Amino acid sequence: MKAVDVLPWIPVFPLLGFLVNGLLYLVSHSKLGGKDAPLGAHGAGGHDDAHGGHAAGHVAPDHHAGPGGHGDHVEIPFKALHTWIGPLASGLACVAAFLAIFLWMGETRGEEALVTTLWTWIPVGSVPTWFGGANVSFDVALRIDPLSALMIGFVTFVGTLIHVYSVGYMGHDAGYGRFFAYLNLFMFAMLTLVLGANLPILFVGWEGVGLCSYLLIGYYYDKDFAADAGKKAFVMNRIGDAGFLLGLFGCLAMFGTVDFGRMFATAAADPAKYAAGGLVTAAALCLFIGATGKSAQIPLYVWLPDAMAGPTPVSALIHAATMVTAGVYMVARMNVLFRISHEWALKVLGEGPSVFGLLTHDASFVVAVIGGLTAFVAATIGLAQNDIKKVLAYSTVSQLGYMFLGCGVLAFGAGMFHVFTHAFFKACLFLGSGSVIHALGGEQDMTKMGGLKDKIPHTFRTMLIATIAIAGIPFFSGFFSKDAILGETFASGHVVLWAVGLVTAGMTAFYMFRLIRMTFYGTFRGSAETWAHVHESPATMTVPLWILAAGAFVAGYWGIPKVLPPFVNKFDGFLEPIFVKLPAGWTPHPHEASHALEYALMAASVAVALVGIALAVRFYSGAFPFALPSRVAAAVPRLTRAVRQKYYVDEAYEWLFVERLGKRFGRFLWDVDARVVDGAVNGSRHVTVGLSHVSDWIDKTFVDGAVNGVADGLQAAWRGQGRLQTGQTQSYALAMAGGVFGLVCLYIIFA
Amino acid sequence: MNGLLTLLIFLPTAGAVALLFLPREKTGAIKLVATVTAGIAFVASLPLWFETGFRTSGDFLFRETLDWIPSLGVKYALGVDGIAALLILLTTLLSFICMYASYTAITKREKEYYVFLLLLETGMIGVFCALDFFLFYVFWEVMLVPMYFLIGVWGGPRKLYAAIKFFLYTLFGSVVMLLAIIALYFFNTTGFLWWKGLGNAPTFDIPHFHAIASQIPPDLQVWLFWAFFLGFAIKVPMFPFHTWLPDAHVEAPTAGSVILAGVLLKMGTYGFLRFSLPICPAASSTHWVQLSVVVLSIIGILYGSMVAMVQKDVKKLVAYSSVAHLGFVMLGFFALNTAGIQGGILQSINHGLSTGGLFLLVGIIYERRHTRMITDFGGISSVMPVYAMLFMVILLASIGLPLLNGFVGEFTILVGAFLANWRWAAFAVIGVVLGAAYMLWLYQRVFFGEVTHEENRTLQDVNLREILTLAPLIVFCVWIGVYPKPFFEMTAKSSDKLVVAVEQARLAREAGTVRMASTAGTPGTPATPATRADLAAPAAPAAAAVLPEGR
């Protein structure tokens, strides 16, 4: 068996799962499937029962029904089948993925890419490109190389755990089957995205995950905010996708191919040719616009916090561990463009490039700036959120910013390493928050939590491990990956970005421990009834939590920095083959930082993290409402309000793009359509009808008038001649004879 | 198989005649005869799909020629290439579906209704088969009449306004097109105005005009181009000639809308491929002509989408979305490269499938609630889950989700547009975003949220017949989305021919000479088939011309 033979099965298993789950769900909810499955009862009634009780307005968007809630009696058709098929589809994909990785390692020692072409998808034919012509054809082809191996490994692994978790978490939901169908479909799309051997196939997955995200955010579709959030996510992603498409076309026009292998080889063969005039930079920036949509970066980040309206396993899988990292994956995949763009900018700008010059010439610098800025801004918003999932959402946006910061300073390895470790600790945190919400029967507001650590010990311990990991405490995974990014940023000379990253690290530690303190410490602030029902989650939920917590601890040891024993970064070594060699003059000077400096940077990161933790503990101790935070908030009321309101970015977007450019401009155009464009058509009708009336008048007055005039004239003449009609045959015969005589005379004269 | 096209054209007519002999009360028998006739027509059209000749050459196949009016050179000449064959298949499929979908929608004057539908099918197939200008024009006009009655008799409240507007607007365009045809006819023989004639025997043979295209002076071509343009642009419809479409769609019965969107609009795009590009290649490749059409197309995309966004009536929204989709098709055609034209043709088919599907879906809910106002719905997902799922699939096909048909077409068009001039694609992709916005907003308002109207609580989900009408469309949507290769192959040779013709005309004009064809084509001689190798030659200099533009 060869690796390439296994590759197709990785996405196909979840696809089959989707088809079976979806069909079962539809059959059980349609009239055709059987008379005893009434539509209203399951679709609407049961739904309301399950979620209605917990709707606490927009503060608590996740309407998960706890077992203590009203959801118990919801009858779910084919529940056992869904329970098996959903996780199994993902599990088989996981087995196939690891088998493929194993075989691929054996066949190539992990140094080469293997590609399998399944069928020709779009045979475009011969087209003119910017550098000559090309015969273009887009294939359905899958590729395994270190980057995709890394992605399929953790995506299927974390994905399967989340499927298992969902069995417990969604077990009382009327849409159980629908949920698993969507989740399976998501796995299919995500795996297509990372396995695709060319940009169009990547885009298939790219849009596919966007669709699943839409469907799953809007899973509770009868709630307006869920439907709104889903649509917002899809449309914002589509804005990014438009950029992505232009980048894709740019690559096609430049290189004549969009197959990764051939494209990178072409680019590396003559970077100067393609970089000239900023072509590569433009294409790279367009692709990066796509990444800002998918990975929730400024300016397209606002959909991700809203996406928390979906069920919590969805937040963990799609909006933390996998889909949102697709942008980072894509940037790392297209690393050759960003590297060329960077070197070209340095060449063009010469000595002492200005920030503005870099922003307009160096795509990678733009990535770094956007990443750093997003990390910082999202972290500040995260400081003041009270919804447990919102905190995690902004944390995700912020961590994604870190990843882009890493890629932006051309440390793609470090960026991807953070993708990898983040998948574990953030999935663990989201699932942990889900477990908390589950325990509290749907409560998400941290001001109504507290003191839960002994009531739900597994949840508490696993979340604590993950929190330590994200905060960047040594020996946990987040420390290694975050430190790699910060170290590379500093070494590449972007000291300001490094400082921003460092401050963000402090804020991260602060808001994460704030979450832990508010949730698990102190006294419970909810109702007594809720407290009585608090219970640890079932094993289907806690076992995945523990596995992920273990991952949050150990995942970092793959990429121990070179200054620490065993003095080799295995992770960077693993990814090495994805960086195509560029000719001399196009490779950056390696950043050689002294060991002493590296230790100093590490120490700084750790110190900042510890300060953040200490502040969080100091701030969120004692009786509620916490005195210190309130005082700080009172001291800077406007800033506090701005942060709480997420800097009014949503409102600004809503006003500008939805109200003005969308609805109002649309209505204006419709008005134009009705009055001007169609007005011209109707106007021509009126003109025609009007002219007809004029013609009618002319007709009656002049044309018909002439006829009538002739008639009248004749009539008058007739009256005058009436007396000729005597009735006597003789006089007629005389007239006839006279006539004939006259004619004969004329004939003789003229003939 | 000789005579196949004649059979296809007149089979529906035969069905219509048979219906005349049925008593009007026997509605069951009437529906059965109509549906079976359309079904047989669909099956009879399948040989077109399996004909391998389309995949190996761009020639007209299945040709039939009979003298009709010898003194004028008018012939009954039929023949199809891959493009026409695909459109005929679409026509027979949609007609069949429309018969089946009308069972409960039409409850008055069933007999006349099905007679008109069948006659309409005859007209549409005839348009795609005709290889004689005269015959083409006859079918083109014949087809207006049943459509006029379908809207005018079985339509909504403003049916008369819509029907007359549709008829007159289209007729206006056709008359201008007729002028172009007559001009061509005289140019071919004795001359036209101050243009000296070629002195050929009088003929209306379309392949003949393809063959002599290079002998038509560019200035005459420009006049002819705009005359044809008016006829086809109204039919497509392109901005700003689109306003008859929303009215016609809103007032037409469901089947009328499906046919209108699915096939009638395609007659406009077909016209561009069959006449404008190959007969006026020098005009088409003239920069300002090309740019004018492209700009109108892009305006159509953006404007149609924006106006669709704010519609209150579902059908009107879908109608305006058609304006945007057809804008994409036209943009592809006038990218004037293989990618654009191939994508444009496929997108014509796609639009027929997905927009046809959307109209069927709107019809389904209209039959239940007798309203199409978006605000009258909400929360339908809970009540009609299967319907909601079907709607979602077709909607996703319409907004171009990968692995469904719309994406393949749009994507290929955008590739072509980008390679022609990246700015065009940069504007057009905005349409991709807007498409998602208005469609998902529509879906949200109709299907999501709580059920807000009591009447909607008791709505029945789709029944088996309704599922069966939609199933073939969904099958095709997925098929074209996943494996569009056979569809592309069907039209590749014809597209190549068009590209080569236009490219050669451009080169000839740039060289400052009007190249005379080595052999003055005799009537009925098809143009020399182009191969991929032929294409590569003109493509390279063209690339050089595109380069400064692209950068």
Side-chain angles (χ1 to χ4, degrees), chain B residues 173-192:
Chain B
S174 325
V175 169
V176 183
M177 177 177 82
L178 182 64
L179 285 180
I181 294 174
I182 292 169
L184 266 175
Y185 178 80
F186 283 114
F187 174 76
N188 182 49
T189 51
T190 53
F192 177 70

Side-chain angles (χ1 to χ4, degrees), chain A residues 26 29-30 32 119 121 124-126 130 138 203 207 221-222 228 231 234 238 249 661 670 673 677-678 682, chain B residues 161 165 240 242-243 303 306 311 320 338 385-386 389 399-400 407 432 440-441 444 448-449 481-482 484 532 547:
Chain A
L26 277 182
H29 283 76
S30 75
L32 309 167
W119 67 83
W121 188 31
V124 172
S126 304
W130 291 347
F138 305 125
F203 190 69
E207 285 266 286
Y221 56 76
D222 50 352
D228 275 335
K231 185 187 60 192
F234 195 92
R238 269 263 161 145
F249 299 146
L661 286 177
W670 188 23
D673 204 53
V677 185
D678 205 26
N682 287 329
Chain B
Y161 172 77
K165 190 172 183 179
H242 63 276
T243 52
Y303 178 92
M306 289 300 297
Q311 292 308 309
Y320 275 107
T338 317
V386 179
M389 193 277 293
I399 67 173
F407 174 76
V432 175
L440 291 182
W441 194 33
Q444 182 186 358
F448 290 163
V482 176
R532 294 254 165 181
L547 184 57

Side-chain angles (χ1 to χ4, degrees), chain A residues 286-301:
Chain A
C286 284
L287 289 173
F288 180 61
I289 292 174
T292 58
K294 195 61 63 191
S295 295
Q297 298 294 293
I298 291 172
L300 299 176
Y301 70 97

Side-chain angles (χ1 to χ4, degrees), chain A residues 418-700:
Chain A
H418 201 51
V419 168
F420 179 66
T421 58
H422 178 260
F424 291 96
F425 59 69
K426 189 51 69 63
C428 183
L429 284 170
F430 263 115
L431 293 188
S433 77
S435 184
V436 170
I437 296 164
H438 188 256
L440 297 178
E443 185 57 72
Q444 292 184 204
D445 188 351
M446 293 195 298
T447 60
K448 298 200 179 103
M449 296 180 186
L452 293 171
K453 74 183 162 74
D454 299 322
K455 275 274 203 176
I456 44 174
H458 293 297
T459 307
F460 168 62
R461 283 175 206 158
T462 51
M463 274 189 91
L464 188 62
I465 292 171
T467 303
I468 295 172
I470 194 179
I473 300 301
F475 312 115
F476 285 73
S477 61
F479 166 74
F480 296 111
S481 55
K482 196 183 288 182
D483 201 65
I485 292 172
L486 288 177
E488 294 272 4
T489 308
F490 191 91
S492 66
H494 298 298
V495 183
V496 176
L497 285 174
W498 169 79
V500 169
L502 191 71
V503 174
T504 306
M507 289 194 286
T508 309
F510 176 83
Y511 66 67
M512 284 313 301
F513 272 88
R514 171 177 177 266
L515 183 151
I516 292 287
R517 296 292 301 183
M518 287 183 80
T519 308
F520 294 105
Y521 289 84
T523 50
F524 187 67
R525 297 178 291 273
S527 69
E529 191 204 347
T530 315
W531 178 250
H533 282 109
V534 174
H535 59 285
E536 184 56 283
S537 302
T540 49
M541 291 164 68
T542 52
V543 171
L545 275 176
W546 273 110
I547 297 174
L548 287 170
F553 179 68
V554 301
Y557 289 93
W558 194 1
I560 300 173
K562 285 187 179 149
V563 292
L564 298 177
F567 306 106
V568 55
N569 189 335
K570 288 264 188 195
F571 187 86
D572 275 357
F574 177 72
L575 279 191
E576 194 54 41
I578 68 165
F579 302 108
V580 180
K581 297 266 178 305
L582 292 176
W586 289 87
T587 37
H589 308 291
H591 316 302
E592 280 303 329
S594 71
H595 284 198
L597 179 63
E598 294 238 358
Y599 291 133
L601 291 175
M602 265 182 219
S605 311
V606 176
V608 163
L610 289 175
V611 169
I613 295 171
L615 279 177
V617 173
R618 174 76 190 78
F619 270 48
Y620 295 92
S621 295
F624 183 80
F626 304 107
L628 217 49
S630 319
R631 231 180 307 146
V632 172
V636 280
R638 296 178 82 170
L639 181 66
T640 309
R641 204 169 336 121
V643 171
R644 287 232 170 96
Q645 295 302 320
K646 306 159 282 182
Y647 303 119
Y648 303 101
V649 174
D650 280 283
E651 286 77 3
Y653 282 4
E654 176 81 15
W655 181 82
L656 180 63
F657 294 110
V658 179
E659 288 304 324
R660 295 285 150 148
L661 286 177
K663 294 180 191 171
R664 192 179 282 201
F665 186 56
R667 272 190 219 107
F668 166 74
L669 284 183
W670 188 23
D671 234 38
V672 170
D673 204 53
R675 289 184 195 185
V676 182
V677 185
D678 205 26
V681 178
N682 287 329
S684 73
R685 181 186 70 166
H686 294 311
V687 169
T688 313
V689 173
L691 282 177
S692 303
H693 282 298
V694 173
S695 308
D696 185 47
W697 180 76
I698 292 173
D699 205 46
K700 279 195 184 126

